[in-house]
Amino acid sequence: MNNKKLQAKDFITIGIFTALLFVIEFACGMLGFIHPYIVASYVILIPLLGAVPMMLFYTKIEKFGMITIMSVLIAIIMFVTGMGYLGAPLIIISGLVADIIAGMGRYKKSKNIMFSYGVFCFWICANYFPVVVTADSYRKNLLDGGYSKQYCDNLFRAINSKTISVLLALCFVFGCIGAFVGRAAVKKHFEKAGIA
Amino acid sequence: MTVRLDPRTKLYMIFVVSAVVMMSATNSLLWALRIVVTILPIAFLIMEKYYASALRFLILYVTALGITFTCLSEKSTGFFMAFLLGYCSIIVQFLPAMITAWYVLRTTKIDEFICVMQKMHMPDGITISLAVVMRFFPTIKEEYTSIRDAMKMREIMLGTGNVIKMVEYRIIPLMFSCVNIGDELSAAAITRGLGEKVKRTSVVELKMKVYDYLLVILFSVVLIVYVVFRNVK
């Protein structure tokens, strides 16, 4: 790959992997319907499961901008599916930083890729952003809207501004672990087949 | 009567509905507007002959709305009620955006979409990638179904055996087929001159019609009302 700029072929690859990642997110999101507290475990599930396509993605393009574009796409999809625009800056910034980190290792060094994926996983926290950032007004809205106080207390017991930092840290840690798992999976399956 | 909307109108619809969904409805006027905004895409779905999905969305939305309105009060405490209300409010909150997105995804052809994005001077990277994402969701579903069938034949099903194996045996084949499809897709696209420097022409011609303008005005009004109420309060 002599050409440093992204080509049409790369854009198509980015689109495919974004779709894959989003399907995984959506599948995990369905689990959240079972019990609201499972929603908190997104930070563990999505980094681990998403690592497999992402690690393949890292080996596929190896050009600057690939993760940035992916994060922009994720931000757009999140907005379209009603998750709001509050998380968009977080998603795009984490994508950009992840891109820079991976770029420093020329998209080859496993350490850089690990950290880069860890940073990229911050986008998952954008799921909680509307709830966490606007917690106070959201709570008031719920009470105004006629929800019982007990329900609100239950809902907000787990959510406060301290939680978001814990969630971010968890994202990063499980992103790094997921990177290991994902690399192992890619090695096991794709390198043998000559795809990676 | 068939009304084919301009893709630009559809994109604007998505934008407005997503924004409206984010803001909470506190009085009956805002609720009414929100319901109108939800019913419209369903009506368009019926017009485009997607009867089954329109009916499904309608039933889901009306049920959730009904439960929310009848059960919602200061007295609704207790575990079960909290649960039920939680679900219904999630549905009422997010379904409008889902319906609109689904409608746009189903009725917009990819060439129309790319044409519109080019007219709005979006960068190529985002246009192409987004178009691929749009095209790819049905493909992934199809592939996943056949992979699941194959796994059933080998008796690797949900709920039997260990979870890691189950997940691995689903994600890995899915990725294999997606990568292959992607290669074919890019080969097909590049032969048609995608990604060249020259300005591409398009077969579809896009024109805003009267009802497009009407819809844009209607949705703008809804958005303005929401913003005003939010800031005045």
Side-chain angles (χ1 to χ4, degrees), chain B residues 14-47:
Chain B
I14 287 195
F15 173 75
V16 171
V17 173
S18 309
V20 163
V21 158
M22 278 301 293
M23 295 182 249
S24 54
T26 40
N27 57 27
S28 45
L29 172 67
L30 294 186
W31 270 112
L33 280 180
R34 185 179 275 194
I35 292 169
V36 167
V37 161
T38 317
I39 296 297
L40 266 176
I42 296 181
F44 287 127
L45 273 178
I46 294 171
M47 252 185 259

PDB file of all heavy atoms in Angstrom, chain B residues 14-47:
ATOM      1  N   ILE B  14     -35.490  12.928   9.214  1.00  0.00           N
ATOM      2  CA  ILE B  14     -34.688  12.221  10.210  1.00  0.00           C
ATOM      3  C   ILE B  14     -34.101  13.202  11.198  1.00  0.00           C
ATOM      4  O   ILE B  14     -34.161  13.011  12.411  1.00  0.00           O
ATOM      5  CB  ILE B  14     -33.536  11.437   9.539  1.00  0.00           C
ATOM      6  CG1 ILE B  14     -34.078  10.219   8.820  1.00  0.00           C
ATOM      7  CG2 ILE B  14     -32.522  11.008  10.559  1.00  0.00           C
ATOM      8  CD1 ILE B  14     -33.010   9.244   8.470  1.00  0.00           C
ATOM      9  N   PHE B  15     -33.568  14.272  10.665  1.00  0.00           N
ATOM     10  CA  PHE B  15     -32.925  15.261  11.521  1.00  0.00           C
ATOM     11  C   PHE B  15     -33.912  15.808  12.552  1.00  0.00           C
ATOM     12  O   PHE B  15     -33.648  15.824  13.750  1.00  0.00           O
ATOM     13  CB  PHE B  15     -32.370  16.394  10.646  1.00  0.00           C
ATOM     14  CG  PHE B  15     -31.843  17.551  11.421  1.00  0.00           C
ATOM     15  CD1 PHE B  15     -30.627  17.448  12.075  1.00  0.00           C
ATOM     16  CD2 PHE B  15     -32.564  18.719  11.515  1.00  0.00           C
ATOM     17  CE1 PHE B  15     -30.134  18.508  12.807  1.00  0.00           C
ATOM     18  CE2 PHE B  15     -32.081  19.782  12.242  1.00  0.00           C
ATOM     19  CZ  PHE B  15     -30.858  19.687  12.894  1.00  0.00           C
ATOM     20  N   VAL B  16     -35.090  16.211  12.079  1.00  0.00           N
ATOM     21  CA  VAL B  16     -36.059  16.819  12.984  1.00  0.00           C
ATOM     22  C   VAL B  16     -36.543  15.806  14.010  1.00  0.00           C
ATOM     23  O   VAL B  16     -36.608  16.099  15.210  1.00  0.00           O
ATOM     24  CB  VAL B  16     -37.244  17.407  12.193  1.00  0.00           C
ATOM     25  CG1 VAL B  16     -38.340  17.828  13.140  1.00  0.00           C
ATOM     26  CG2 VAL B  16     -36.794  18.563  11.365  1.00  0.00           C
ATOM     27  N   VAL B  17     -36.870  14.602  13.551  1.00  0.00           N
ATOM     28  CA  VAL B  17     -37.417  13.619  14.484  1.00  0.00           C
ATOM     29  C   VAL B  17     -36.387  13.278  15.562  1.00  0.00           C
ATOM     30  O   VAL B  17     -36.706  13.215  16.741  1.00  0.00           O
ATOM     31  CB  VAL B  17     -37.880  12.351  13.737  1.00  0.00           C
ATOM     32  CG1 VAL B  17     -38.279  11.269  14.719  1.00  0.00           C
ATOM     33  CG2 VAL B  17     -39.042  12.672  12.845  1.00  0.00           C
ATOM     34  N   SER B  18     -35.135  13.118  15.147  1.00  0.00           N
ATOM     35  CA  SER B  18     -34.115  12.807  16.146  1.00  0.00           C
ATOM     36  C   SER B  18     -33.963  13.931  17.154  1.00  0.00           C
ATOM     37  O   SER B  18     -33.766  13.699  18.340  1.00  0.00           O
ATOM     38  CB  SER B  18     -32.769  12.545  15.484  1.00  0.00           C
ATOM     39  OG  SER B  18     -32.914  11.624  14.465  1.00  0.00           O
ATOM     40  N   ALA B  19     -34.056  15.161  16.662  1.00  0.00           N
ATOM     41  CA  ALA B  19     -33.925  16.293  17.577  1.00  0.00           C
ATOM     42  C   ALA B  19     -35.121  16.364  18.514  1.00  0.00           C
ATOM     43  O   ALA B  19     -34.975  16.580  19.721  1.00  0.00           O
ATOM     44  CB  ALA B  19     -33.783  17.587  16.791  1.00  0.00           C
ATOM     45  N   VAL B  20     -36.310  16.138  17.968  1.00  0.00           N
ATOM     46  CA  VAL B  20     -37.521  16.230  18.782  1.00  0.00           C
ATOM     47  C   VAL B  20     -37.525  15.140  19.850  1.00  0.00           C
ATOM     48  O   VAL B  20     -37.899  15.366  20.999  1.00  0.00           O
ATOM     49  CB  VAL B  20     -38.769  16.126  17.874  1.00  0.00           C
ATOM     50  CG1 VAL B  20     -39.999  15.813  18.694  1.00  0.00           C
ATOM     51  CG2 VAL B  20     -38.969  17.410  17.112  1.00  0.00           C
ATOM     52  N   VAL B  21     -37.075  13.958  19.471  1.00  0.00           N
ATOM     53  CA  VAL B  21     -37.054  12.847  20.407  1.00  0.00           C
ATOM     54  C   VAL B  21     -36.163  13.157  21.601  1.00  0.00           C
ATOM     55  O   VAL B  21     -36.418  12.731  22.718  1.00  0.00           O
ATOM     56  CB  VAL B  21     -36.579  11.582  19.655  1.00  0.00           C
ATOM     57  CG1 VAL B  21     -36.029  10.560  20.593  1.00  0.00           C
ATOM     58  CG2 VAL B  21     -37.727  10.998  18.882  1.00  0.00           C
ATOM     59  N   MET B  22     -35.125  13.927  21.344  1.00  0.00           N
ATOM     60  CA  MET B  22     -34.210  14.257  22.439  1.00  0.00           C
ATOM     61  C   MET B  22     -34.841  15.180  23.466  1.00  0.00           C
ATOM     62  O   MET B  22     -34.450  15.197  24.621  1.00  0.00           O
ATOM     63  CB  MET B  22     -32.965  14.956  21.880  1.00  0.00           C
ATOM     64  CG  MET B  22     -31.933  14.038  21.338  1.00  0.00           C
ATOM     65  SD  MET B  22     -31.388  12.913  22.586  1.00  0.00           S
ATOM     66  CE  MET B  22     -30.572  14.060  23.676  1.00  0.00           C
ATOM     67  N   MET B  23     -35.775  15.998  23.043  1.00  0.00           N
ATOM     68  CA  MET B  23     -36.363  16.956  23.976  1.00  0.00           C
ATOM     69  C   MET B  23     -37.620  16.359  24.565  1.00  0.00           C
ATOM     70  O   MET B  23     -38.391  15.707  23.882  1.00  0.00           O
ATOM     71  CB  MET B  23     -36.688  18.252  23.228  1.00  0.00           C
ATOM     72  CG  MET B  23     -35.443  18.939  22.710  1.00  0.00           C
ATOM     73  SD  MET B  23     -35.832  20.467  21.900  1.00  0.00           S
ATOM     74  CE  MET B  23     -35.467  20.101  20.207  1.00  0.00           C
ATOM     75  N   SER B  24     -37.830  16.610  25.836  1.00  0.00           N
ATOM     76  CA  SER B  24     -38.949  15.950  26.485  1.00  0.00           C
ATOM     77  C   SER B  24     -40.230  16.735  26.260  1.00  0.00           C
ATOM     78  O   SER B  24     -40.244  17.964  26.210  1.00  0.00           O
ATOM     79  CB  SER B  24     -38.673  15.815  27.969  1.00  0.00           C
ATOM     80  OG  SER B  24     -38.369  17.073  28.469  1.00  0.00           O
ATOM     81  N   ALA B  25     -41.303  15.996  26.112  1.00  0.00           N
ATOM     82  CA  ALA B  25     -42.601  16.622  25.929  1.00  0.00           C
ATOM     83  C   ALA B  25     -43.249  16.781  27.286  1.00  0.00           C
ATOM     84  O   ALA B  25     -43.395  15.811  28.025  1.00  0.00           O
ATOM     85  CB  ALA B  25     -43.466  15.760  25.030  1.00  0.00           C
ATOM     86  N   THR B  26     -43.594  18.017  27.641  1.00  0.00           N
ATOM     87  CA  THR B  26     -44.146  18.238  28.967  1.00  0.00           C
ATOM     88  C   THR B  26     -45.621  18.601  28.946  1.00  0.00           C
ATOM     89  O   THR B  26     -46.310  18.414  29.934  1.00  0.00           O
ATOM     90  CB  THR B  26     -43.365  19.348  29.694  1.00  0.00           C
ATOM     91  OG1 THR B  26     -43.068  20.368  28.748  1.00  0.00           O
ATOM     92  CG2 THR B  26     -42.085  18.791  30.290  1.00  0.00           C
ATOM     93  N   ASN B  27     -46.135  19.134  27.850  1.00  0.00           N
ATOM     94  CA  ASN B  27     -47.567  19.425  27.849  1.00  0.00           C
ATOM     95  C   ASN B  27     -48.233  18.768  26.647  1.00  0.00           C
ATOM     96  O   ASN B  27     -47.574  18.132  25.824  1.00  0.00           O
ATOM     97  CB  ASN B  27     -47.816  20.941  27.873  1.00  0.00           C
ATOM     98  CG  ASN B  27     -47.154  21.628  26.702  1.00  0.00           C
ATOM     99  OD1 ASN B  27     -46.963  21.017  25.660  1.00  0.00           O
ATOM    100  ND2 ASN B  27     -46.793  22.877  26.876  1.00  0.00           N
ATOM    101  N   SER B  28     -49.539  18.929  26.579  1.00  0.00           N
ATOM    102  CA  SER B  28     -50.266  18.132  25.590  1.00  0.00           C
ATOM    103  C   SER B  28     -49.982  18.575  24.162  1.00  0.00           C
ATOM    104  O   SER B  28     -50.004  17.751  23.247  1.00  0.00           O
ATOM    105  CB  SER B  28     -51.769  18.201  25.878  1.00  0.00           C
ATOM    106  OG  SER B  28     -52.141  19.518  26.157  1.00  0.00           O
ATOM    107  N   LEU B  29     -49.685  19.863  23.968  1.00  0.00           N
ATOM    108  CA  LEU B  29     -49.392  20.315  22.606  1.00  0.00           C
ATOM    109  C   LEU B  29     -48.139  19.619  22.090  1.00  0.00           C
ATOM    110  O   LEU B  29     -48.107  19.092  20.960  1.00  0.00           O
ATOM    111  CB  LEU B  29     -49.187  21.830  22.599  1.00  0.00           C
ATOM    112  CG  LEU B  29     -48.693  22.395  21.252  1.00  0.00           C
ATOM    113  CD1 LEU B  29     -49.763  22.246  20.195  1.00  0.00           C
ATOM    114  CD2 LEU B  29     -48.252  23.838  21.376  1.00  0.00           C
ATOM    115  N   LEU B  30     -47.111  19.563  22.946  1.00  0.00           N
ATOM    116  CA  LEU B  30     -45.867  18.929  22.511  1.00  0.00           C
ATOM    117  C   LEU B  30     -46.093  17.446  22.253  1.00  0.00           C
ATOM    118  O   LEU B  30     -45.559  16.881  21.302  1.00  0.00           O
ATOM    119  CB  LEU B  30     -44.777  19.121  23.569  1.00  0.00           C
ATOM    120  CG  LEU B  30     -44.322  20.572  23.771  1.00  0.00           C
ATOM    121  CD1 LEU B  30     -43.156  20.632  24.723  1.00  0.00           C
ATOM    122  CD2 LEU B  30     -43.951  21.202  22.448  1.00  0.00           C
ATOM    123  N   TRP B  31     -46.909  16.815  23.110  1.00  0.00           N
ATOM    124  CA  TRP B  31     -47.208  15.395  22.878  1.00  0.00           C
ATOM    125  C   TRP B  31     -47.899  15.200  21.538  1.00  0.00           C
ATOM    126  O   TRP B  31     -47.573  14.295  20.786  1.00  0.00           O
ATOM    127  CB  TRP B  31     -48.094  14.844  23.992  1.00  0.00           C
ATOM    128  CG  TRP B  31     -47.298  14.285  25.113  1.00  0.00           C
ATOM    129  CD1 TRP B  31     -47.199  14.773  26.379  1.00  0.00           C
ATOM    130  CD2 TRP B  31     -46.477  13.113  25.074  1.00  0.00           C
ATOM    131  NE1 TRP B  31     -46.353  13.989  27.113  1.00  0.00           N
ATOM    132  CE2 TRP B  31     -45.897  12.970  26.347  1.00  0.00           C
ATOM    133  CE3 TRP B  31     -46.163  12.191  24.072  1.00  0.00           C
ATOM    134  CZ2 TRP B  31     -45.036  11.934  26.656  1.00  0.00           C
ATOM    135  CZ3 TRP B  31     -45.306  11.159  24.374  1.00  0.00           C
ATOM    136  CH2 TRP B  31     -44.751  11.038  25.655  1.00  0.00           C
ATOM    137  N   ALA B  32     -48.853  16.100  21.261  1.00  0.00           N
ATOM    138  CA  ALA B  32     -49.602  15.965  20.011  1.00  0.00           C
ATOM    139  C   ALA B  32     -48.654  16.083  18.824  1.00  0.00           C
ATOM    140  O   ALA B  32     -48.716  15.287  17.880  1.00  0.00           O
ATOM    141  CB  ALA B  32     -50.687  17.045  19.935  1.00  0.00           C
ATOM    142  N   LEU B  33     -47.752  17.057  18.914  1.00  0.00           N
ATOM    143  CA  LEU B  33     -46.805  17.233  17.816  1.00  0.00           C
ATOM    144  C   LEU B  33     -45.946  15.995  17.654  1.00  0.00           C
ATOM    145  O   LEU B  33     -45.679  15.538  16.540  1.00  0.00           O
ATOM    146  CB  LEU B  33     -45.921  18.451  18.089  1.00  0.00           C
ATOM    147  CG  LEU B  33     -46.552  19.797  17.778  1.00  0.00           C
ATOM    148  CD1 LEU B  33     -45.579  20.902  18.098  1.00  0.00           C
ATOM    149  CD2 LEU B  33     -46.947  19.860  16.321  1.00  0.00           C
ATOM    150  N   ARG B  34     -45.517  15.454  18.793  1.00  0.00           N
ATOM    151  CA  ARG B  34     -44.653  14.287  18.712  1.00  0.00           C
ATOM    152  C   ARG B  34     -45.391  13.115  18.060  1.00  0.00           C
ATOM    153  O   ARG B  34     -44.821  12.375  17.252  1.00  0.00           O
ATOM    154  CB  ARG B  34     -44.185  13.903  20.113  1.00  0.00           C
ATOM    155  CG  ARG B  34     -43.196  12.797  20.086  1.00  0.00           C
ATOM    156  CD  ARG B  34     -42.728  12.440  21.446  1.00  0.00           C
ATOM    157  NE  ARG B  34     -41.636  13.308  21.860  1.00  0.00           N
ATOM    158  CZ  ARG B  34     -40.859  13.031  22.899  1.00  0.00           C
ATOM    159  NH1 ARG B  34     -41.101  11.980  23.620  1.00  0.00           N
ATOM    160  NH2 ARG B  34     -39.887  13.828  23.224  1.00  0.00           N
ATOM    161  N   ILE B  35     -46.673  12.974  18.408  1.00  0.00           N
ATOM    162  CA  ILE B  35     -47.442  11.882  17.815  1.00  0.00           C
ATOM    163  C   ILE B  35     -47.601  12.105  16.308  1.00  0.00           C
ATOM    164  O   ILE B  35     -47.462  11.173  15.510  1.00  0.00           O
ATOM    165  CB  ILE B  35     -48.807  11.754  18.525  1.00  0.00           C
ATOM    166  CG1 ILE B  35     -48.586  11.263  19.946  1.00  0.00           C
ATOM    167  CG2 ILE B  35     -49.720  10.804  17.773  1.00  0.00           C
ATOM    168  CD1 ILE B  35     -49.785  11.346  20.826  1.00  0.00           C
ATOM    169  N   VAL B  36     -47.850  13.347  15.927  1.00  0.00           N
ATOM    170  CA  VAL B  36     -47.970  13.649  14.491  1.00  0.00           C
ATOM    171  C   VAL B  36     -46.693  13.262  13.765  1.00  0.00           C
ATOM    172  O   VAL B  36     -46.712  12.620  12.713  1.00  0.00           O
ATOM    173  CB  VAL B  36     -48.266  15.151  14.292  1.00  0.00           C
ATOM    174  CG1 VAL B  36     -48.073  15.532  12.828  1.00  0.00           C
ATOM    175  CG2 VAL B  36     -49.669  15.474  14.732  1.00  0.00           C
ATOM    176  N   VAL B  37     -45.580  13.632  14.390  1.00  0.00           N
ATOM    177  CA  VAL B  37     -44.282  13.359  13.772  1.00  0.00           C
ATOM    178  C   VAL B  37     -44.049  11.859  13.648  1.00  0.00           C
ATOM    179  O   VAL B  37     -43.368  11.396  12.738  1.00  0.00           O
ATOM    180  CB  VAL B  37     -43.184  14.051  14.608  1.00  0.00           C
ATOM    181  CG1 VAL B  37     -41.827  13.461  14.320  1.00  0.00           C
ATOM    182  CG2 VAL B  37     -43.163  15.523  14.319  1.00  0.00           C
ATOM    183  N   THR B  38     -44.642  11.099  14.561  1.00  0.00           N
ATOM    184  CA  THR B  38     -44.486   9.649  14.479  1.00  0.00           C
ATOM    185  C   THR B  38     -45.428   9.028  13.463  1.00  0.00           C
ATOM    186  O   THR B  38     -45.071   8.082  12.762  1.00  0.00           O
ATOM    187  CB  THR B  38     -44.758   9.010  15.847  1.00  0.00           C
ATOM    188  OG1 THR B  38     -44.136   9.798  16.834  1.00  0.00           O
ATOM    189  CG2 THR B  38     -44.243   7.601  15.894  1.00  0.00           C
ATOM    190  N   ILE B  39     -46.655   9.571  13.403  1.00  0.00           N
ATOM    191  CA  ILE B  39     -47.645   8.972  12.517  1.00  0.00           C
ATOM    192  C   ILE B  39     -47.283   9.193  11.047  1.00  0.00           C
ATOM    193  O   ILE B  39     -47.507   8.334  10.207  1.00  0.00           O
ATOM    194  CB  ILE B  39     -49.057   9.545  12.822  1.00  0.00           C
ATOM    195  CG1 ILE B  39     -49.495   9.154  14.223  1.00  0.00           C
ATOM    196  CG2 ILE B  39     -50.077   9.065  11.811  1.00  0.00           C
ATOM    197  CD1 ILE B  39     -49.645   7.676  14.448  1.00  0.00           C
ATOM    198  N   LEU B  40     -46.688  10.341  10.760  1.00  0.00           N
ATOM    199  CA  LEU B  40     -46.381  10.660   9.367  1.00  0.00           C
ATOM    200  C   LEU B  40     -45.516   9.615   8.681  1.00  0.00           C
ATOM    201  O   LEU B  40     -45.900   9.116   7.611  1.00  0.00           O
ATOM    202  CB  LEU B  40     -45.713  12.038   9.296  1.00  0.00           C
ATOM    203  CG  LEU B  40     -46.664  13.198   9.036  1.00  0.00           C
ATOM    204  CD1 LEU B  40     -45.914  14.516   9.093  1.00  0.00           C
ATOM    205  CD2 LEU B  40     -47.331  13.044   7.681  1.00  0.00           C
ATOM    206  N   PRO B  41     -44.375   9.237   9.276  1.00  0.00           N
ATOM    207  CA  PRO B  41     -43.583   8.189   8.601  1.00  0.00           C
ATOM    208  C   PRO B  41     -44.365   6.894   8.436  1.00  0.00           C
ATOM    209  O   PRO B  41     -44.213   6.208   7.413  1.00  0.00           O
ATOM    210  CB  PRO B  41     -42.393   7.978   9.534  1.00  0.00           C
ATOM    211  CG  PRO B  41     -42.350   9.135  10.417  1.00  0.00           C
ATOM    212  CD  PRO B  41     -43.687   9.757  10.447  1.00  0.00           C
ATOM    213  N   ILE B  42     -45.215   6.567   9.411  1.00  0.00           N
ATOM    214  CA  ILE B  42     -46.011   5.346   9.280  1.00  0.00           C
ATOM    215  C   ILE B  42     -46.939   5.471   8.075  1.00  0.00           C
ATOM    216  O   ILE B  42     -47.084   4.536   7.278  1.00  0.00           O
ATOM    217  CB  ILE B  42     -46.815   5.084  10.569  1.00  0.00           C
ATOM    218  CG1 ILE B  42     -45.858   4.820  11.731  1.00  0.00           C
ATOM    219  CG2 ILE B  42     -47.755   3.909  10.390  1.00  0.00           C
ATOM    220  CD1 ILE B  42     -46.521   4.542  13.025  1.00  0.00           C
ATOM    221  N   ALA B  43     -47.525   6.647   7.915  1.00  0.00           N
ATOM    222  CA  ALA B  43     -48.405   6.862   6.766  1.00  0.00           C
ATOM    223  C   ALA B  43     -47.633   6.709   5.464  1.00  0.00           C
ATOM    224  O   ALA B  43     -48.122   6.106   4.501  1.00  0.00           O
ATOM    225  CB  ALA B  43     -49.022   8.262   6.852  1.00  0.00           C
ATOM    226  N   PHE B  44     -46.408   7.223   5.458  1.00  0.00           N
ATOM    227  CA  PHE B  44     -45.602   7.085   4.245  1.00  0.00           C
ATOM    228  C   PHE B  44     -45.248   5.635   3.976  1.00  0.00           C
ATOM    229  O   PHE B  44     -45.191   5.202   2.832  1.00  0.00           O
ATOM    230  CB  PHE B  44     -44.331   7.931   4.350  1.00  0.00           C
ATOM    231  CG  PHE B  44     -44.601   9.384   4.219  1.00  0.00           C
ATOM    232  CD1 PHE B  44     -44.159  10.283   5.171  1.00  0.00           C
ATOM    233  CD2 PHE B  44     -45.321   9.866   3.144  1.00  0.00           C
ATOM    234  CE1 PHE B  44     -44.425  11.624   5.058  1.00  0.00           C
ATOM    235  CE2 PHE B  44     -45.586  11.210   3.015  1.00  0.00           C
ATOM    236  CZ  PHE B  44     -45.143  12.086   3.981  1.00  0.00           C
ATOM    237  N   LEU B  45     -45.016   4.895   5.066  1.00  0.00           N
ATOM    238  CA  LEU B  45     -44.737   3.471   4.894  1.00  0.00           C
ATOM    239  C   LEU B  45     -45.904   2.779   4.227  1.00  0.00           C
ATOM    240  O   LEU B  45     -45.737   1.955   3.329  1.00  0.00           O
ATOM    241  CB  LEU B  45     -44.459   2.815   6.246  1.00  0.00           C
ATOM    242  CG  LEU B  45     -43.028   2.862   6.747  1.00  0.00           C
ATOM    243  CD1 LEU B  45     -42.941   2.225   8.111  1.00  0.00           C
ATOM    244  CD2 LEU B  45     -42.124   2.123   5.794  1.00  0.00           C
ATOM    245  N   ILE B  46     -47.131   3.133   4.656  1.00  0.00           N
ATOM    246  CA  ILE B  46     -48.319   2.531   4.046  1.00  0.00           C
ATOM    247  C   ILE B  46     -48.391   2.916   2.577  1.00  0.00           C
ATOM    248  O   ILE B  46     -48.683   2.096   1.709  1.00  0.00           O
ATOM    249  CB  ILE B  46     -49.587   2.973   4.800  1.00  0.00           C
ATOM    250  CG1 ILE B  46     -49.560   2.406   6.213  1.00  0.00           C
ATOM    251  CG2 ILE B  46     -50.841   2.528   4.066  1.00  0.00           C
ATOM    252  CD1 ILE B  46     -50.633   2.929   7.101  1.00  0.00           C
ATOM    253  N   MET B  47     -48.078   4.183   2.294  1.00  0.00           N
ATOM    254  CA  MET B  47     -48.132   4.635   0.915  1.00  0.00           C
ATOM    255  C   MET B  47     -47.142   3.888   0.033  1.00  0.00           C
ATOM    256  O   MET B  47     -47.391   3.677  -1.152  1.00  0.00           O
ATOM    257  CB  MET B  47     -47.832   6.128   0.855  1.00  0.00           C
ATOM    258  CG  MET B  47     -49.044   6.964   0.537  1.00  0.00           C
ATOM    259  SD  MET B  47     -48.532   8.647   0.365  1.00  0.00           S
ATOM    260  CE  MET B  47     -49.015   9.320   1.914  1.00  0.00           C
TER     261      MET B  47
END
